[in-house]
Amino acid sequence: MLFRSDKAIQLKPDDAALWTSLGGVLKELNRPSDALLCFQHALKLDPHHVDAAFRSASVLVHLARLEEALALCDLCEQLRPLHAMTFFLRSVALRGLKRFEECLADAWRAHILEPGNALFCNGIADALQLLDRFEEALEWLDRALRLQPSFVLALVTKTEVLRKLHRFDELLALHQHIRSIDPTNANAELSLANDNLLLGNFEAGWKGREARWRIAGLPIFSVDGPVPVWLGEESIAGKTVLVYPRSEEHTSELQSHHDIV
């Protein structure tokens, strides 16, 4: 697909739609920065290309370039008024900027346009819980789950609300429900582990925290090379345990150490 898109652009280098298509392929290949360059070039060729503008905004949110994303969301709204996903994308950017009231307003606008969309209901609930309006958030989460009963994102948001309400029995039961739906979800597994630690279930909590190594993007680092990790199962008699900082800078200083259990 990438080869075909590239060849098509060589034949029509001034075609904004082709550049947008190439950007979409690069995004699917997890190359967001390259994708953004394609979308931006498409907008230079055609400043009114709404798909390129929306995709640029989406990638900018992914890259945490949130103010730039908001500007492009405004452009999208001018080019394609009353588009639900534009409002929702802007609400995500506003959430990242901690502008929670505005985030709620845009999530609500998206919902008004598409009331049957569970994602938008979850967005409203998420904004409400960030504003400490927990009971209202639960109502919107229940609405999202009526629309889509196995919607893991809404279930995870509900765990956050239940935790803040200290409804721990429901919280643990919900964690088990999420695991039954998506047993390989490392984020959900780590969340359960943290809640077990919070509740004093230390054995399950520390064991479950090993899920963190399966989550991309966390600011944690391991020592490369033949370095065994001790999980508390075997004896450490006569061995050395090295506890090291999580920062990449300090981790690099440990590469020559091999007497680690």
Side-chain angles (χ1 to χ4, degrees):
M1 180 66 77
L2 179 60
F3 176 77
R4 289 200 297 271
S5 297
D6 191 52
K7 293 297 289 184
I9 283 175
Q10 291 180 31
L11 295 172
K12 291 185 176 182
D14 296 328
D15 191 319
L18 289 177
W19 280 100
T20 303
S21 177
L22 176 59
V25 173
L26 290 167
K27 185 179 179 183
E28 288 296 318
L29 293 172
N30 198 29
R31 294 168 57 181
S33 296
D34 293 333
L36 179 61
L37 291 174
C38 290
F39 298 142
Q40 291 173 331
H41 188 68
L43 282 172
K44 288 180 181 178
L45 294 171
D46 180 2
H48 296 92
H49 198 291
V50 66
D51 192 32
F54 181 82
R55 287 172 177 246
S56 291
S58 178
V59 173
L60 286 166
V61 168
H62 175 76
L63 295 173
R65 293 164 57 178
L66 302 176
E67 294 288 0
E68 296 171 76
L70 286 180
L72 278 169
C73 284
D74 291 342
L75 174 61
C76 289
E77 190 177 358
Q78 295 172 21
L79 297 175
R80 184 167 53 190
L82 301 179
H83 181 241
M85 279 304 300
T86 296
F87 286 124
F88 181 73
L89 183 61
R90 187 161 60 193
S91 78
V92 175
L94 289 165
R95 183 193 196 279
L97 292 168
K98 301 186 186 304
R99 292 161 58 178
F100 300 137
E101 291 284 1
E102 296 169 84
C103 167
L104 175 59
D106 273 325
W108 178 258
R109 292 185 183 102
H111 167 73
I112 292 297
L113 291 168
E114 291 186 21
N117 191 314
L119 178 64
F120 300 161
C121 293
N122 179 76
I124 292 173
D126 181 58
L128 287 167
Q129 67 99 6
L130 290 167
L131 292 165
D132 295 337
R133 295 163 60 178
F134 303 126
E135 296 296 342
E136 293 174 79
L138 285 178
E139 293 175 9
W140 280 95
L141 288 166
D142 289 341
R143 184 179 301 197
L145 292 168
R146 283 195 296 272
L147 291 167
Q148 192 174 329
S150 297
F151 187 17
V152 171
L153 181 60
L155 291 168
V156 170
T157 304
K158 190 170 183 178
T159 65
E160 296 169 4
V161 177
L162 291 173
R163 185 181 303 112
K164 291 177 179 177
L165 290 170
H166 293 183
R167 290 162 58 171
F168 296 119
D169 289 342
E170 295 172 73
L171 173 61
L172 292 178
L174 186 57
H175 275 305
Q176 296 303 326
H177 179 54
I178 293 171
R179 293 186 71 183
S180 71
I181 295 172
D182 189 3
T184 63
N185 189 316
N187 286 286
E189 190 175 338
L190 181 59
S191 179
L192 172 59
N194 289 334
D195 285 329
N196 272 318
L197 290 174
L198 177 67
L199 296 172
N201 304 324
F202 297 119
E203 183 176 355
W206 289 121
K207 183 177 181 180
R209 276 187 57 78
E210 292 305 302
R212 69 192 187 280
W213 302 111
R214 309 202 313 270
I215 300 174
L218 289 184
I220 57 176
F221 305 92
S222 60
V223 180
D224 294 332
V227 181
V229 177
W230 183 54
L231 299 177
E233 296 175 354
E234 68 275 5
S235 172
I236 58 172
K239 298 182 180 180
T240 300
V241 176
L242 176 61
V243 180
Y244 62 92
R246 296 192 307 173
S247 73
E248 189 170 18
E249 177 183 354
H250 287 98
T251 300
S252 64
E253 298 173 1
L254 301 173
Q255 301 305 314
S256 62
H257 289 262
H258 298 295
D259 190 19
I260 302 175
V261 180

